[in-house]
Amino acid sequence: MGLEDQESIRILRDAVDPDRGSETLIREFYTLWFGTDPSTRDLFPPDMAKQRTVFGNVLCWLCDELIAQRAEQPVAFLAQLGRDHRKYGVTQQHYATLKDALLRTLRVHLAENWDDRLNEAAHDVVELAVGMMSGAATAETSPPFNDGTVIDHLRPTRDVSIIRLKMDHPLTYLPGQYVPVQVPQWPRRWRYLSPAIPADPQGYVEFHVRSVPGGMVSTAIVGEARRGDRWRLSNPHGGMHVDRDDGDVLMVAGSTGLAPLRTLIMDLARFGENPRVHLFFGARYPGELYDLRILWEIASTNPWLSVTPVSEHRRDPRWAAEYPDNTPPRGLHVRQTGILPDIVTRYGNWGDRQILLCGKPAMVLATKNALIAKGASSTRIRHDPLAS
């Protein structure tokens, strides 16, 4: 039965589910894989805790999709995953040893249930995952990554950096997408960042990065990035976009979640006519609304754009005096005080708009729920996958 054996795939799914205690199984899989193929250890960061959880969640999701007899999305996802993994230096030999180690680990941990049906299902699931990833990686002809040099590092606020790079080769991406980034301070720790300007034919890229408590990479970028640093960027992801034929637009950005929405706005500015766009840009303090002057400049020549600044506090703390004054000239909407979900829904449910949300996962989820509670359709709300 293989991939059609829902009962056997459900056994596999429960075995790899982190919420059901798969930590030991996944830890032993990686131990076996690294032991039988030592070259794979250098593909991963020293701390494997997050990697093990991600691996378990991906396997769990794949099994859920197969149990529901949905093949299209898993096939597309696995193919993209294979293309992405080229940036780590993954080879066909690595895929072969992964397949063997995973099947051996599953067989040991499921020994009491292991029969011909479970054996066939396990082989088919692992073969599907490994085969799609390795096949897509082999078929892809574009470079796995693109290197660039930091040419500018600005600090508009205490916790935010604006990083500008000149890539060795122009980076291709669509407005609103995000790209995997590796910085020299943390080799092998890739993080997703959204370009804050549209793709540039000369190879210039700008990122807005906020230091997150406990975030090793973001903290290193804000505190340690220097001109001349060499960054590595890989292929873009994401489908956040504005359909110019689908009505007016609501955008909600929290802090550096502004970056992809800013890129979309800059791209729209190329056209003479656009749907109306209302952007709510939020931060904790007024001084952390770091890009208001640029937004004002865009809005001053593009009447379709309205910008409402939102800060949780009315006044800046003392440390804000050390950073540039981000107060824009008169012209933007009056700054509102409060939290984004409350301020946004105070204006209505925005049910007639395309709705794009970007920022910390908690803010995005709270704003989405508030809009839906007000009557907006969830099908009109778009945001990138919410990371923990």
Side-chain angles (χ1 to χ4, degrees):
M1 297 177 68
L3 296 179
E4 297 180 358
D5 187 350
Q6 295 172 311
E7 181 180 346
S8 293
I9 295 177
R10 190 169 285 107
I11 294 173
L12 295 173
R13 181 233 181 271
D14 291 346
V16 298
D17 186 355
D19 293 336
R20 290 175 173 263
S22 65
E23 168 68 18
T24 300
L25 184 155
I26 295 175
R27 185 188 296 274
E28 292 183 5
F29 152 67
Y30 277 110
T31 300
L32 178 60
W33 190 24
F34 295 161
T36 56
D37 187 353
S39 68
T40 59
R41 185 62 187 91
D42 289 338
L43 302 176
F44 297 92
D47 181 6
M48 289 290 294
K50 184 174 182 179
Q51 172 63 31
R52 289 193 292 268
T53 300
V54 169
F55 185 74
N57 284 333
V58 168
L59 287 178
C60 188
W61 173 82
L62 174 60
C63 289
D64 281 338
E65 294 295 294
L66 294 175
I67 291 169
Q69 297 294 294
R70 294 189 294 260
E72 183 175 349
Q73 189 171 353
V75 167
F77 171 79
L78 291 168
Q80 183 62 51
L81 206 60
R83 290 189 288 268
D84 291 344
H85 274 61
R86 296 178 305 138
K87 66 179 180 282
Y88 298 109
V90 178
T91 66
Q92 293 299 308
Q93 176 62 26
H94 293 144
Y95 282 116
T97 55
L98 179 153
K99 175 183 174 181
D100 180 67
L102 183 54
L103 284 171
R104 286 169 61 185
T105 305
L106 288 170
R107 189 179 298 113
V108 169
H109 276 263
L110 295 172
E112 293 184 3
N113 301 98
W114 203 264
D115 55 18
D116 289 343
R117 285 181 54 187
L118 186 56
N119 181 69
E120 182 181 1
H123 273 80
D124 285 358
V125 170
V126 174
E127 182 63 48
L128 172 66
V130 173
M132 287 303 306
M133 290 178 65
S134 61
T138 300
E140 183 60 45
T141 58
S142 66
F145 49 75
N146 188 357
D147 292 337
T149 302
V150 174
I151 59 173
D152 217 350
H153 179 187
L154 307 178
R155 288 289 296 275
T157 82
R158 183 179 64 174
D159 298 329
V160 172
S161 285
I162 295 175
I163 306 291
R164 293 173 179 149
L165 299 101
K166 176 68 165 63
M167 305 305 297
D168 294 349
H169 305 283
L171 185 68
T172 301
Y173 56 89
L174 297 175
Q177 288 192 304
Y178 53 91
V179 297
V181 175
Q182 178 183 254
V183 300
Q185 289 80 9
W186 283 100
R188 301 200 303 275
R189 286 187 181 270
W190 291 81
R191 291 295 182 269
Y192 292 115
L193 297 177
S194 297
I197 60 173
D200 179 78
Q202 302 302 313
Y204 293 100
V205 184
E206 178 175 309
F207 294 110
H208 299 175
V209 183
R210 181 174 181 269
S211 178
V212 178
M216 294 178 290
V217 176
S218 65
T219 301
I221 290 174
V222 173
E224 303 173 23
R226 299 289 183 269
R227 294 181 65 178
D229 282 356
R230 296 284 288 172
W231 285 25
R232 176 160 288 179
L233 279 57
S234 191
N235 298 312
H237 298 261
M240 187 176 290
H241 68 283
V242 170
D243 185 342
R244 295 179 61 245
D245 298 319
D246 192 26
D248 294 336
V249 184
L250 167 67
M251 296 182 175
V252 182
S255 186
T256 52
L258 174 67
L261 304 183
R262 180 189 198 256
T263 305
L264 287 164
I265 289 170
M266 287 183 167
D267 183 65
L268 288 172
R270 298 183 300 117
F271 302 95
E273 295 184 7
N274 281 308
R276 290 179 301 163
V277 177
H278 195 128
L279 168 67
F280 287 85
F281 176 33
R284 290 171 300 175
Y285 299 103
E288 291 183 315
L289 296 165
Y290 64 93
D291 208 45
L292 283 185
R293 287 184 174 268
I294 296 296
L295 294 173
W296 178 84
E297 291 173 5
I298 298 173
S300 67
T301 56
N302 292 278
W304 46 266
L305 176 63
S306 299
V307 179
T308 298
V310 179
S311 64
E312 295 180 18
H313 302 278
R314 291 186 181 277
R315 296 180 178 84
D316 284 323
R318 292 180 179 178
W319 57 256
E322 302 176 17
Y323 296 91
D325 180 7
N326 295 305
T327 304
R330 295 187 60 162
L332 288 180
H333 287 191
V334 176
R335 179 171 55 84
Q336 304 288 316
T337 302
I339 61 174
L340 275 170
D342 291 347
I343 299 297
V344 171
T345 53
R346 189 182 299 168
Y347 286 72
N349 68 12
W350 304 91
D352 61 337
R353 303 283 182 120
Q354 303 176 65
I355 301 174
L356 307 182
L357 312 177
C358 196
K360 296 198 314 187
M363 183 282 290
V364 170
L365 190 58
T367 304
K368 180 177 181 178
N369 290 339
L371 286 165
I372 292 173
K374 278 282 189 175
S377 171
S378 61
T379 62
R380 298 281 282 171
I381 301 174
R382 294 196 291 271
H383 54 79
D384 288 327
L386 299 179
S388 59

